[in-house]
């Protein structure tokens, strides 16, 4: 704040000062974000340059180039028809069905054995046919 607080601002001056600070704030924020982004990009570029110079990135790029060169062969192998394994799939499906059926039977047996037969029903505690 200024040293002369006793002087009152005119409405025009007050408006100019408010607009100045309302526009300077977002500009400062934007300049800060851009500055941080630039510093981060510079740090990343420096790190990549050091890795490339050490040879680690160079080896990775060579391996990637070899992988890309071998890609057509890999795609042909992947699209080649595989021998049908229908019998194996049927066997797996049969085993799964048997396991599910066995589980259902075991569940029903356990469920029945856990039910206790209720003794003969007790007579109702209230009259079934109320008197008029």
């Amino acid at each position: 704040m200024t040293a002369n607080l006793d002087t009152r601002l005119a409405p025009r001056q007050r408006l100019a000062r408010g607009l100045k600070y309302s526009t300077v704030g977002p500009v400062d924020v934007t300049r800060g974000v851009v500055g941080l982004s630039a510093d981060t990009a510079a740090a990343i570029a420096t790190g990549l340059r050091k890795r490339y110079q050490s040879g680690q990135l160079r080896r990775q790029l060579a391996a990637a180039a070899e992988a890309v060169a071998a890609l057509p062969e890999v795609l042909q192998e992947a699209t080649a028809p595989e021998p049908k394994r229908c019998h194996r799939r049927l066997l797996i499906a049969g085993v799964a069905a048997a396991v599910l059926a066995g589980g259902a039977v075991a569940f029903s047996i356990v469920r029945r054995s856990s039910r206790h037969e209720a003794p003969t029903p007790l007579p109702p505690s209230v009259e079934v046919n109320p008197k008029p």
Side-chain angles (χ1 to χ4, degrees):
M1 294 204 160
T2 60
N4 52 1
L5 293 174
D6 295 332
T7 60
R8 296 184 59 101
L9 294 174
R12 186 176 66 105
Q13 292 171 332
R14 189 176 307 273
L15 177 65
R17 186 175 73 174
L19 288 175
K20 174 186 170 190
Y21 288 126
S22 66
T23 57
V24 169
V27 169
D28 284 343
V29 169
T30 304
R31 286 180 63 194
V33 169
V34 168
L36 285 175
S37 300
D39 290 344
T40 303
I44 290 172
T46 303
L48 287 176
R49 188 177 331 122
K50 286 180 182 177
R51 280 183 59 200
Y52 184 75
Q53 288 172 350
S54 71
Q56 181 180 4
L57 185 61
R58 193 177 310 144
R59 287 190 297 271
Q60 289 176 354
L61 290 175
E66 290 176 10
V68 169
L71 190 61
E73 296 169 3
V74 172
L75 288 176
Q76 285 178 350
E77 291 174 4
T79 58
E82 294 183 16
K84 294 188 177 183
R85 297 182 181 177
C86 185
H87 298 294
R88 186 175 180 183
R89 289 182 183 164
L90 286 175
L91 178 66
I92 292 172
V95 168
V99 167
L100 287 174
V105 168
F107 177 76
S108 65
I109 290 172
V110 168
R111 178 94 171 147
R112 283 185 195 156
S113 66
S114 67
R115 280 192 209 156
H116 297 290
E117 293 290 328
T120 58
L122 298 174
S125 59
V126 293
E127 285 188 48
V128 178
N129 298 327
K131 296 179 181 175

